[in-house]
Amino acid sequence: MRTRGKAAVAAVLVSLTASVWAERRVYVQMETADLEDFEKSVEIARRFGATHVCANQVEPSMWQWDAAMNRKDPYPNWTMHRPSFFKFHVPEKLRKYLPADYANRNLEAVRARGEILRRHGLKAVYSAAIDPSYLPEQVYVDHPEWRGPRCDHPRRARLQYYAPCVDNPEIRAMYVEAIRELCKACPFEYFDVMCNDSGSGFCHFPLYPGENGPEWCRGIPNPVRLVNWLSTVQEGAAAAGCAAQVNFNRYLKNGIEIQARPLLKPGQSLLNKKADGKPATAIVGFPNRFGETSFPLAYLPRMSFYAKQLQDAERTDADLHVALKGTEEWDAISLVEKAFRKPIGQGQVARYRALADVAAEFVGADDAERLVSVWDDIEELLTRLDGFREGPRGANYGLLAFVHQRWLTRPLVCFPERLKDAERDYWRDYLFQATTEADALDYINLQGWNTLDGNAAIVWVSYVTDQTDAVFSRVFRTLDGLSAKGTHPQAAKYLKGLGYRMRLFRHLTHTFRHFVEFRNKLKLTRDEPMFKYYVTAETPYVIDGKKRDIETLMRREIGTALEEARIVEAADREGIRVLQTADRDEFTNVMNLPPVPRLVKEIRQKAAIMERHRNEPSEVYRRDHAPDTNF
């Protein structure tokens, strides 16, 4: 009797565990424009037990950048990678201004993805999108009544960019049409749309240039305007027979969220919260690829972080949004798949048991703890480096400066203004720098912000990299001991790729340090009163020491660059992706590094240029006059 009672209790517990994911929508996002890879992501999502897959990826809209002063303004790069409704269907009234052939390619790709989803019994979601996005200026010249808010960032844009006024009935009708055609091609049941950033905005909302918009719609309350927009999206989907949910994602200030929440209609949410304040979705992963501290590293494991997110998701009844980095994120795929078969449970013991189970698939049970320790070390590294992401002295957007300031390929020299065209053209066009040319030549002017200026920045960056070097060394010792422990070919490739990525990661942190120290030491020397007003007997020795510092930094960065090129190239030969790069050379832009062959060539070109300019410190640090650099 007691045995039967225990069995009954066990059966109830199993039933309760299984019910953790019951009755939920599960959205899977793996951004890819490749149709074959998309089908792989659908097959993986089906293994999870997912109900929906993100199907709205677009080809980068390079035409937006072409229109911006012949690519002299970098600001459109924030928008070019993101889906928006007019990138899938161009209404008749806009065909004079927007390329319909580009939209048709994206719509056909969506139609093909929809067919794949139908075959696998899954449905589509629309994610990582941005609307209402800005339109070309000629639209408003011809139709001034359509002009909505100025939505650019004045520090980061040379031109002014305006989103359409979504309170205007004609604009609203065009959006309904575009969304209807999109949903006819592929029935979308959930829309996650970002606004008020990256070239999008609502009239009279708090935007980067301030609250602005046409006078005629000033009296419409912002909460009403916001809910009307969500309803417009739902109306377009309903016109194609789709009962869609829609979430507004991104900036809401001045109490707009609190005021708008009671106005929400069924299926609507703000900042991932429904009208009752409960979360609309629980998120695992990173829906925005630029939002992770380690970008542009590819497939860097975030296992401990994902496991915590899965545990948080188990405590809610919200739908689940799983945003992974791609079909080769094998460790995370295994973790999510296991969590769907049997939820992780709560607490650290349960979390590490789940991580150990996944690690055992790659290195065996005896060595699983060592691989888990590497995953934990990665989280410690990213926590220590999180100041590089943003903050009073941080470099905004993590390691993104390697892309938008081209630190990875840009030569570190004392007089960047003297570089010849051949020494600068391959990187200068890809700087996210919209202000003066002097600002562009300043190595640490990051999108118009000097957040790494001064001696305190040198001290801070030096301290952080010294601390992380110790963690990197520990990781390398562990990985070296695991290198031959792969339990199958995919596991062996995983371990080899992890070794490449972690070594590249360490070199990137060193490049970060070199750029900050180099720029600030030159500038601080120039600003020192000693060199401006008097010379003492000790001055020559001080100058000699400072000159040696700069020469050492240049030599170290040359060596670091060559190692970065070697790692990227060696990994590529083995079919291992270590950096996120453009799919094709013509898609190289401010937010995308070039494909690997070109990237490796440019990194080595950087080292060669620095070798040619290695004597410049002698010119800067002359004993007979004050040093002078152009900053």
Side-chain angles (χ1 to χ4, degrees):
M1 182 71 177
R2 185 176 299 172
T3 303
R4 287 198 300 272
K6 288 182 177 179
V9 170
V12 170
L13 289 175
V14 169
S15 176
L16 287 173
T17 299
S19 70
V20 169
W21 305 113
E23 306 300 326
R24 300 202 201 189
R25 291 184 174 195
V26 179
Y27 310 138
V28 172
Q29 176 183 341
M30 297 186 196
E31 290 191 21
T32 176
D34 181 83
L35 205 58
E36 183 177 344
D37 199 43
F38 178 79
E39 182 145 21
K40 289 180 184 177
S41 74
V42 171
E43 291 168 353
I44 291 168
R46 188 178 181 186
R47 293 207 313 263
F48 289 168
T51 58
H52 296 70
V53 174
C54 178
N56 63 304
Q57 299 87 343
V58 294
E59 174 187 311
S61 49
M62 303 297 288
W63 55 269
Q64 289 184 289
W65 197 19
D66 290 332
M69 297 174 61
N70 193 26
R71 297 196 177 186
K72 297 301 181 184
D73 188 350
Y75 196 71
N77 280 260
W78 277 121
T79 309
M80 285 156 42
H81 303 90
R82 292 186 179 274
S84 59
F85 294 123
F86 294 151
K87 289 184 181 181
F88 295 99
H89 173 76
V90 180
E92 183 65 35
K93 291 180 180 180
L94 291 177
R95 291 190 179 180
K96 177 181 175 182
Y97 315 102
L98 302 178
D101 56 341
Y102 166 81
N104 289 339
R105 289 199 301 274
N106 288 328
L107 193 65
E108 287 306 309
V110 162
R111 187 173 282 110
R113 294 182 196 123
E115 176 59 25
I116 291 171
L117 289 170
R118 188 192 63 77
R119 290 203 315 267
H120 289 275
L122 299 180
K123 298 180 180 180
V125 295
Y126 184 98
S127 185
I130 181 169
D131 260 309
S133 185
Y134 77 86
L135 295 175
E137 177 62 19
Q138 191 60 43
V139 172
Y140 307 119
V141 173
D142 296 344
H143 303 276
E145 69 279 7
W146 292 354
R147 188 187 296 272
R150 181 183 172 189
C151 55
D152 59 90
H153 193 307
R155 281 181 175 265
R156 299 172 184 173
R158 294 190 176 186
L159 300 176
Q160 295 183 5
Y161 296 89
Y162 290 82
C165 174
V166 293
D167 297 310
N168 184 298
E170 286 185 282
I171 295 296
R172 197 159 55 244
M174 284 190 279
Y175 273 112
V176 168
E177 176 187 333
I179 297 165
R180 182 194 68 209
E181 295 306 308
L182 174 66
C183 289
K184 283 182 178 179
C186 177
F188 285 93
E189 294 193 344
Y190 177 79
F191 292 85
D192 185 66
V193 182
M194 186 185 88
C195 188
N196 299 333
D197 188 29
S198 304
S200 68
F202 292 136
C203 297
H204 307 293
F205 267 61
L207 303 174
Y208 292 123
E211 297 180 12
N212 72 97
E215 194 61 28
W216 78 268
C217 66
R218 183 181 296 277
I220 298 175
N222 278 334
V224 172
R225 177 179 289 115
L226 174 55
V227 173
N228 285 345
W229 168 246
L230 299 180
S231 299
T232 297
V233 176
Q234 289 180 308
E235 181 183 347
C242 298
Q245 298 180 13
V246 57
N247 176 59
F248 176 87
N249 176 12
R250 215 50 174 263
Y251 300 115
L252 289 177
K253 301 178 181 179
N254 299 353
I256 296 173
E257 177 188 1
I258 296 173
Q259 298 166 33
R261 194 166 302 286
L263 306 178
L264 290 176
K265 299 176 182 178
Q268 298 179 355
S269 58
L270 297 179
L271 304 182
N272 202 32
K273 290 183 179 180
K274 296 182 289 187
D276 59 6
K278 293 182 179 180
T281 61
I283 296 174
V284 175
F286 298 91
N288 176 10
R289 66 174 176 146
F290 302 125
E292 186 183 2
T293 305
S294 66
F295 180 86
L297 288 166
Y299 292 124
L300 190 74
R302 299 301 307 273
M303 294 293 284
S304 301
F305 184 75
Y306 289 163
K308 289 179 182 178
Q309 287 182 310
L310 283 164
Q311 287 181 309
D312 291 342
E314 290 173 11
R315 293 198 296 269
T316 78
D317 59 359
D319 294 336
L320 189 64
H321 183 171
V322 181
L324 300 182
K325 301 173 184 178
T327 56
E328 292 187 8
E329 197 177 12
W330 299 314
D331 47 9
I333 289 170
S334 177
L335 176 66
V336 174
E337 193 169 1
K338 285 179 178 295
F340 270 76
R341 287 202 302 266
K342 180 182 178 181
I344 293 172
Q346 298 303 303
Q348 291 191 15
V349 172
R351 182 164 67 249
Y352 280 100
R353 186 180 294 118
L355 291 172
D357 287 346
V358 176
E361 294 182 4
F362 291 87
V363 296
D366 292 342
D367 292 293
E369 184 174 346
R370 298 165 72 190
L371 181 55
V372 172
S373 75
V374 171
W375 293 338
D376 269 356
D377 283 338
I378 290 171
E379 292 307 315
E380 180 178 345
L381 284 168
L382 293 173
T383 298
R384 291 180 179 275
L385 292 168
D386 198 49
F388 284 7
R389 173 174 164 75
E390 56 188 348
R393 289 279 174 188
N396 55 352
Y397 309 106
L399 300 179
L400 183 55
F402 285 93
V403 185
H404 72 58
Q405 291 301 311
R406 284 308 199 256
W407 283 352
L408 193 60
T409 58
R410 182 180 180 182
L412 194 59
V413 296
C414 295
F415 299 100
E417 72 277 9
R418 296 183 185 176
L419 292 175
K420 298 176 182 178
D421 289 348
E423 296 176 314
R424 68 194 302 272
D425 287 349
Y426 73 95
W427 55 265
R428 176 61 187 92
D429 289 344
Y430 302 107
L431 295 190
F432 206 119
Q433 184 52 259
T435 49
T436 67
E437 191 63 19
D439 287 335
L441 294 176
D442 185 345
Y443 291 117
I444 63 168
N445 188 298
L446 307 177
Q447 299 192 52
W449 297 99
N450 283 85
T451 56
L452 290 165
D453 190 26
N455 189 63
I458 295 177
V459 173
W460 173 72
V461 173
S462 301
Y463 172 78
V464 171
T465 49
D466 285 344
Q467 295 294 309
T468 56
D469 271 349
V471 182
F472 276 118
S473 296
R474 186 168 70 226
V475 168
F476 297 149
R477 287 193 299 271
T478 305
L479 286 177
D480 288 345
L482 291 174
S483 60
K485 300 290 186 176
T487 55
H488 49 81
Q490 189 182 79
K493 185 177 181 181
Y494 171 82
L495 293 170
K496 183 167 286 189
L498 186 52
Y500 279 132
R501 292 179 186 107
M502 292 307 295
R503 283 176 166 79
L504 179 62
F505 193 1
R506 183 182 66 172
H507 287 303
L508 292 180
T509 64
H510 288 179
T511 290
F512 196 116
R513 176 175 180 168
H514 297 160
F515 270 78
V516 173
E517 287 194 16
F518 184 91
R519 184 273 190 187
N520 281 311
K521 286 185 176 182
L522 280 178
K523 186 176 187 297
L524 288 169
T525 297
R526 181 197 68 184
D527 290 345
E528 283 180 0
M530 177 173 66
F531 293 102
K532 290 186 174 182
Y533 302 112
Y534 64 90
V535 176
T536 71
E538 298 298 318
T539 300
Y541 301 102
V542 173
I543 291 176
D544 287 347
K546 292 179 179 295
K547 174 174 170 288
R548 281 196 302 272
D549 285 348
I550 295 299
E551 289 173 338
T552 299
L553 284 169
M554 291 184 73
R555 182 69 181 271
R556 286 177 178 170
E557 181 55 23
I558 290 170
T560 300
L562 292 174
E563 276 298 291
E564 289 164 348
R566 182 191 65 78
I567 291 170
V568 173
E569 188 172 47
D572 188 62
R573 281 199 299 267
E574 299 190 52
I576 294 171
R577 185 185 181 197
V578 293
L579 285 171
Q580 297 187 49
T581 61
D583 296 332
R584 303 201 299 265
D585 191 63
E586 58 265 36
F587 291 160
T588 301
N589 51 56
V590 173
M591 306 297 283
N592 264 354
L593 293 168
V596 168
R598 176 177 162 187
L599 177 61
V600 170
K601 179 182 177 182
E602 290 183 357
I603 297 173
R604 291 194 171 125
Q605 187 175 355
K606 161 187 173 174
I609 292 169
M610 291 180 65
E611 291 280 13
R612 292 198 295 271
H613 291 262
R614 66 162 58 244
N615 289 326
E616 287 183 348
S618 297
E619 184 177 351
V620 174
Y621 293 93
R622 290 173 58 183
R623 296 184 180 185
D624 59 342
H625 68 78
D628 184 27
T629 57
N630 183 23
F631 282 110

